[in-house]
Amino acid sequence: VEACGVNFPDTLIVQGKYQFQPPLPFSPGGEVCGIIKELGDGVKTYKVGDRVVAMIGWGGFCEEIAVHVSKLMPLPDSMDAVVGSAFAMTYGTTYHAFKDRGQLKPGQIVLVLGAAGGVGIAAVEIAKLMGAKVIACASSEEKLNVCKQ
């Protein structure tokens, strides 16, 4: 494990308030980035040394983890481990909301509340990439300046 993201579900899991709860004791950390050290029998889609992102639910605050191949995604060479470890949940959630649930179309207007937070920043970026006009809301000028970048 090179890096582990910390996201809202992690805070809920630690408090015992998430819809999926691991048995105690457990290690938090639902999304990780790392380098493949070993492969299971029959794995053909990755090789030892590949850099990957994994959505694992919990257990990421460890030095090493075993992950089923179905939970892996390749990490682009242009993305560092810290960004990779915090990318899948925020950007994946946002993309699913806009594309699959909201069926966002170019030219539509998207209002993003909390636009300077993790999912908010992802929402601003993805909505713009999908051709929407974005209205970003945040609680301070400093946070709105983050949205303008």
Side-chain angles (χ1 to χ4, degrees):
V1 174
E2 286 184 83
C4 181
V6 178
N7 226 307
F8 186 61
D10 295 300
T11 64
L12 295 175
I13 291 170
V14 169
Q15 296 174 59
K17 297 179 180 178
Y18 198 60
Q19 61 259 36
F20 306 109
Q21 205 57 42
L24 295 174
F26 75 97
S27 171
E31 48 189 338
V32 297
C33 183
I35 299 170
I36 294 177
K37 182 177 176 180
E38 295 179 48
L39 293 170
D41 292 338
V43 175
K44 306 280 187 231
T45 51
Y46 295 95
K47 63 185 181 315
V48 171
D50 282 351
R51 297 176 70 229
V52 293
V53 174
M55 297 290 295
I56 58 173
W58 49 78
F61 289 175
C62 296
E63 292 180 22
E64 294 183 354
I65 57 172
V67 178
H68 191 274
V69 68
S70 66
K71 297 189 180 281
L72 297 177
M73 297 170 274
L75 181 70
D77 291 336
S78 61
M79 187 178 287
D80 71 28
V82 172
V83 172
S85 71
F87 182 84
M89 186 168 297
T90 53
Y91 283 79
T93 298
T94 301
Y95 183 75
H96 173 66
F98 287 157
K99 176 88 171 127
D100 300 328
R101 295 296 189 188
Q103 299 176 347
L104 183 63
K105 305 279 188 276
Q108 290 183 318
I109 298 171
V110 174
L111 172 65
V112 180
L113 304 176
V119 174
I121 290 170
V124 169
E125 290 180 358
I126 290 174
K128 287 172 74 175
L129 287 169
M130 292 178 76
K133 179 180 179 183
V134 176
I135 301 171
C137 300
S139 61
S140 70
E141 278 299 317
E142 181 181 10
K143 289 180 179 181
L144 286 172
N145 286 334
V146 168
C147 300
K148 292 175 185 175
Q149 295 175 10

